[in-house]
Amino acid sequence: MWFDEDLDDLPAGKKIYDRQMLKRMLPLLKPFKLRVMGGALILIVSSGLGLLPPLLLKRAIDVNIAGSDFNGLLITVGLYVLLQLATFGVNYLMLVVLESLGVRIVSSLKEQLFGHMLGLDIAYFDQHPVGRLIARVESDTEAIRRLFTSTMFTVLGAVVSLAGMVFIMMKVSLQLFLAVSTLIPVIFLLTVLFQKKVRPLFLVVRKKYAEIVAYLTEMVQGMKVIQAFSRESAVKQKMAQLNRSYIRTLLPADVLTMGFFSLVGVFEIIGLAIILTVGGNMVAKGFLTVGAMVLFLGYLRQFFMPVYAFSEQVGIMQRAFAAAQRVFEIMDIEPKVINAVSGGNWNNFKNSIEFQDVDFSYVTRAGNDEPDWVLRNINFTINKGEKIALVGATGGGKSSIINLMLRFYDPQAGSISIDGIDIRKIPIENLRRHFGLVLQDVFLFPGTVRENLTLGAEMTREQLDRAVEILGLQRILDKMPSGLESELTERGANLSQGERQLVSFARALAFDPQILILDEATSSVDPMSERLIQQGIKRLLEGRTAVIVAHRLSTILDADKIMVIRKGRIVESGRHQELLEKNGYYAKLYRIQFA
C-alpha cells in the first residue's frame, strides 16, 4: 500500500521501438480512411497555398516594381491578400477535420481497450490498482489523440512543404540552395540524437504521471479511513513526494525539448546570414535578382518551419508512443480464464454441480516451491434444489469455492462440472447467467434504484415488482422520493448498509437465477431485514439451488447439507443435527456462537 511501499508501474515488457509502435497504431485509422483521405487532401492544398506568397513577392519586386507596373503591383498585392485569407480558411477547415478524426480514433481505441479489460480475469484486477487502469483508459489514450490530430498531419504537412520549397529554390538558384542546404545534415543528426535521448525520459514521465493518478484515486476512495485515523498529513506528504518525483522526471525532458527548439533557432540565424552573404554577392554580380533573394529569405522561415514543427511535436510524439506502449501492454495480455467459444451445449441447470479433486492457489511462489494452496482435494456434489451451506473460519477457502464455481478463476488441478459438463467448456456468459450472486461487500453504481436492479438488462415491471415484494424492499422505496427511479449516490452512500444489502439481494433475484450464491449476504443487515430475507429465500428457493457462505450459523440451520471448510479442506459434511452429534469442529463453532 501507499504507506509502506513504492508505487511501481505495470511491467514494461520488452522494448518497443517507434516504427513498431506506428505499425500497431496505423490500423486505428482504417475505419476512418475517408476522413484521413479528406484530411490529406486538405493538407496538400494548405501546403501548396503556403508556397505561393514568396513567389508573389518575387513577382512584385522583379516584375511589377522593376517594370514600374503600378497596376500589376496592385493585382499582385490583391492576390497576396486573397491568398493569405484562403490559407487561413483552409487551415481552419483542416483543424476541424483533424480534431474530428482524432476524437473518433481515440473513442474507438477506448472502446477496444475497455472491451479487452472486460474480458480479463479477476486476478488481473486483483493485481493492478484502479487508478493506474483509469490512467490507461483516459490519460494514455488522450496522449494518443494528440498524435492523430495536430502531430501526424503537422509533420506530414511539414514534409510536403519542405519538398515543395526545395524544388522551387533549386529552380530559382541551385547555387544559393546548395549553400543553405549545408545546414540540413547537421540538423538531421541533431534531431536523431534528440529523439533517442528524449524517448526514454517521456516513458518515465508517463509512468510517474500514472502513479499520481493511481494514488489520487485510491486516496479519494479511502478518504473516510484517512480522516478517521488522522492520516491526512502522511497522505499529503506522500502526494508531495510523488509530485516532486514527477517534476524531477518532467523537467529534464522539457529542458531538452526547449534546448533543441532554441538550437534550431540558431540555425535559422545562420541560414539568414548565408542567404544575405552568398545571395547578396550574387545580386551584386548580376547572377541573382533582388526578388529571388527575397524569395529565399521568405522561404527561410518556412524552410525551418518543418524542423520547428518537428521539434515542437516530437515531445508530443514521444508521449504518445510511450502512452501507446502502455496501452498495448494491456491489449496484449491474454486472460488466464479462457472463454469457451463453442462446445458445452448447456443452457439449463438440470441435475448437479460437482467438484472433483480440486486444488487451487491464487499465487504461486517463485522457483520450484509448492504453491500457496487455498483449496486442496475438494470433492462434493450439489444436487438441483438443494440448499448447501459453507461454514468455517475466515480464510479457510469458502469464498474461493464460489469464485471457482463462477469461473472467476480456474483451479490448478481437478475439475468442476455442471450436469456432467466441465464448466471450462461452457461459454462464460452462458454459465453465469444461471447464477445470482450476493456479496457481503455490496457495490452499487451511481444511478437509479431501477438501474442498479437491472444493470442495463431488459426486464419487465413484473420482474422488478416480484423481487421488490419478495425481499420487502418496498418499505425502503416508500421512504425515497421517486421509488424505483430514486437516484443513488456513488456506492449507494445515501442508503444504510442493511438497505444496500437488500438492494443487492433484490438485484440477484430480479434476474430470476436457477442457482443463488449468498456470500455472507446477511452479515450486514439488521435482524428485521434478515428475517425478511430469510422469508424471501424460502419463497424463492422452490425449484432453485442455493449455495450459502455463512459465519452466522443461525441462517443455515435448515440447510440440506452443511460443509465445514478448514484450511482449504472439507473436514465435515452433513445436516445441522448430524454435525452436532459428531461433536466435531462444527459443534465447536456452534457452541461458541450460542454460548
Side-chain angles (χ1 to χ4, degrees):
M1 289 183 66
W2 61 271
F3 48 78
D4 60 6
E5 63 181 61
D6 291 332
L7 287 171
D8 197 8
D9 203 4
L10 292 175
K14 64 180 182 179
K15 185 176 180 180
I16 302 178
Y17 294 92
D18 292 351
R19 185 180 300 176
Q20 295 172 304
M21 195 58 60
L22 271 175
K23 189 176 180 180
R24 293 203 63 177
M25 295 170 72
L26 286 177
L28 296 173
L29 296 172
K30 189 175 181 180
F32 312 100
K33 56 185 178 182
L34 291 178
R35 289 181 179 272
V36 172
M37 293 171 61
L41 180 62
I42 298 173
L43 171 69
I44 293 172
V45 173
S46 175
S47 301
L49 291 176
L51 296 173
L52 296 179
L55 288 173
L56 290 177
L57 290 176
K58 180 180 181 299
R59 174 182 174 81
I61 294 171
D62 290 345
V63 177
N64 302 133
I65 296 176
S68 301
D69 183 5
F70 182 71
N71 291 331
L73 180 62
L74 290 178
I75 294 174
T76 302
V77 171
L79 288 174
Y80 183 88
V81 173
L82 290 176
L83 180 64
Q84 294 290 5
L85 293 176
T87 302
F88 289 141
V90 171
N91 287 341
Y92 174 76
L93 178 61
M94 183 173 66
L95 289 175
V96 171
V97 171
L98 296 184
E99 189 65 27
S100 173
L101 175 64
V103 168
R104 283 174 168 80
I105 289 173
V106 171
S107 295
S108 175
L109 178 60
K110 286 182 180 180
E111 290 177 11
Q112 293 179 40
L113 178 59
F114 186 63
H116 181 76
M117 290 171 65
L118 287 174
L120 295 177
D121 45 86
I122 296 298
Y124 176 81
F125 298 98
D126 291 341
Q127 297 166 8
H128 298 97
V130 173
R132 295 182 199 177
L133 297 179
I134 292 174
R136 297 301 186 279
V137 177
E138 283 299 323
S139 175
D140 285 342
T141 54
E142 282 302 307
I144 296 172
R145 181 184 69 83
R146 296 191 65 185
L147 178 67
F148 283 120
T149 51
S150 60
T151 303
M152 180 177 67
F153 283 91
T154 297
V155 173
L156 291 177
V159 172
V160 173
S161 298
L162 185 61
M165 285 184 287
V166 168
F167 176 77
I168 294 173
M169 287 191 290
M170 289 178 66
K171 294 288 289 184
V172 172
S173 174
L174 181 61
Q175 181 180 351
L176 185 55
F177 169 74
L178 291 176
V180 175
S181 64
T182 56
L183 300 175
I184 294 178
V186 181
I187 296 174
F188 179 78
L189 178 61
L190 288 173
T191 302
V192 172
L193 292 175
F194 169 70
Q195 185 180 13
K196 288 184 177 180
K197 183 70 176 177
V198 81
R199 169 118 197 266
L201 292 177
F202 278 116
L203 189 60
V204 178
V205 167
R206 296 302 305 175
K207 171 183 174 180
K208 297 296 183 182
Y209 179 77
E211 289 178 355
I212 291 176
V213 173
Y215 182 75
L216 183 61
T217 303
E218 292 167 1
M219 295 307 102
V220 170
Q221 289 177 336
M223 189 61 67
K224 183 181 292 186
V225 176
I226 293 169
Q227 293 181 352
F229 288 89
S230 300
R231 301 302 297 160
E232 295 92 339
S233 178
V235 169
K236 184 178 179 181
Q237 289 177 9
K238 183 65 177 181
M239 188 65 179
Q241 176 187 337
L242 290 174
N243 274 322
R244 287 193 296 270
S245 178
Y246 175 70
I247 292 171
R248 285 195 299 267
T249 307
L250 179 64
L251 282 179
D254 284 346
V255 168
L256 191 60
T257 302
M258 290 184 288
F260 177 76
F261 185 83
S262 301
L263 192 58
V264 172
V266 173
F267 280 99
E268 183 179 347
I269 296 172
I270 296 173
L272 177 64
I274 291 174
I275 291 175
L276 291 177
T277 303
V278 178
N281 185 51
M282 293 176 67
V283 170
K285 293 181 178 180
F287 296 128
L288 192 70
T289 65
V290 175
M293 190 176 75
V294 170
L295 178 142
F296 267 82
L297 290 173
Y299 277 152
L300 176 65
R301 178 69 178 173
Q302 290 180 254
F303 186 77
F304 280 91
M305 279 301 292
V307 183
Y308 273 119
F310 187 77
S311 64
E312 286 179 331
Q313 299 298 327
V314 72
I316 297 174
M317 292 169 62
Q318 296 306 319
R319 287 185 177 94
F321 286 135
Q325 178 171 334
R326 290 149 54 87
V327 167
F328 288 127
E329 280 175 357
I330 295 181
M331 299 288 282
D332 290 339
I333 293 173
E334 295 291 337
K336 296 178 182 178
V337 177
I338 307 300
N339 194 11
V341 178
S342 60
N345 187 20
W346 181 79
N347 294 307
N348 190 36
F349 180 46
K350 298 176 181 178
N351 298 314
S352 63
I353 303 171
E354 187 173 2
F355 278 59
Q356 294 179 312
D357 302 321
V358 170
D359 294 342
F360 174 65
S361 171
Y362 289 102
V363 181
T364 302
R365 294 172 183 166
N368 298 320
D369 293 338
E370 186 79 1
D372 293 322
W373 295 113
V374 177
L375 296 173
R376 289 290 277 172
N377 195 32
I378 299 297
N379 290 275
F380 65 85
T381 299
I382 304 173
N383 295 314
K384 182 176 181 179
E386 282 189 327
K387 182 178 176 183
I388 304 299
L390 305 177
V391 302
T394 300
K398 303 183 298 298
S399 294
S400 297
I401 290 176
I402 302 302
N403 289 335
L404 294 178
M405 195 180 300
L406 289 167
R407 277 207 81 195
F408 292 143
Y409 303 86
D410 280 336
Q412 280 76 21
S415 66
I416 304 166
S417 60
I418 294 186
D419 294 341
I421 304 172
D422 192 314
I423 62 173
R424 285 171 288 198
K425 296 180 180 179
I426 302 174
I428 291 176
E429 184 178 0
N430 190 17
L431 171 72
R432 292 176 183 165
R433 68 185 177 88
H434 295 285
F435 287 86
L437 177 64
V438 181
L439 299 171
Q440 179 182 9
D441 184 17
V442 178
F443 190 94
L444 299 179
F445 298 91
T448 65
V449 177
R450 178 193 297 275
E451 290 167 343
N452 272 278
L453 294 180
T454 64
L455 298 179
E458 291 291 334
M459 288 188 184
T460 64
R461 182 59 188 251
E462 288 73 19
Q463 287 177 278
L464 293 177
D465 288 343
R466 185 166 179 268
V468 168
E469 189 268 331
I470 288 176
L471 267 300
L473 191 62
Q474 190 61 49
R475 66 186 182 87
I476 298 175
L477 296 178
D478 289 341
K479 296 188 297 182
M480 305 182 77
S482 304
L484 281 173
E485 306 306 324
S486 300
E487 291 285 336
L488 299 181
T489 57
E490 187 172 359
R491 300 185 69 90
N494 54 336
L495 297 178
S496 70
Q497 179 65 34
E499 290 171 340
R500 291 197 293 270
Q501 198 77 53
L502 282 171
V503 172
S504 176
F505 210 107
R507 176 166 60 195
L509 302 188
F511 281 84
D512 196 21
Q514 292 183 305
I515 306 165
L516 277 174
I517 295 179
L518 314 179
D519 192 352
E520 296 289 347
T522 61
S523 62
S524 300
V525 298
D526 58 85
M528 181 178 294
S529 298
E530 182 182 346
R531 195 157 49 246
L532 288 172
I533 291 176
Q534 293 299 330
Q535 294 171 0
I537 289 176
K538 290 179 181 178
R539 294 176 57 187
L540 189 68
L541 284 184
E542 297 176 4
R544 285 183 172 83
T545 306
V547 181
I548 304 170
V549 176
H551 281 131
R552 197 181 297 177
L553 300 184
S554 61
T555 62
I556 48 92
L557 298 181
D558 59 345
D560 297 311
K561 184 191 298 182
I562 299 172
M563 292 187 292
V564 183
I565 315 297
R566 187 180 186 192
K567 296 182 179 179
R569 297 179 183 271
I570 300 176
V571 295
E572 292 179 339
S573 178
R575 295 182 69 90
H576 169 68
Q577 194 59 41
E578 295 172 353
L579 294 175
L580 288 182
E581 292 173 359
K582 287 182 179 180
N583 198 31
Y585 187 68
Y586 177 83
K588 178 182 178 181
L589 292 176
Y590 184 81
R591 285 194 296 269
I592 290 174
Q593 286 199 21
F594 293 94

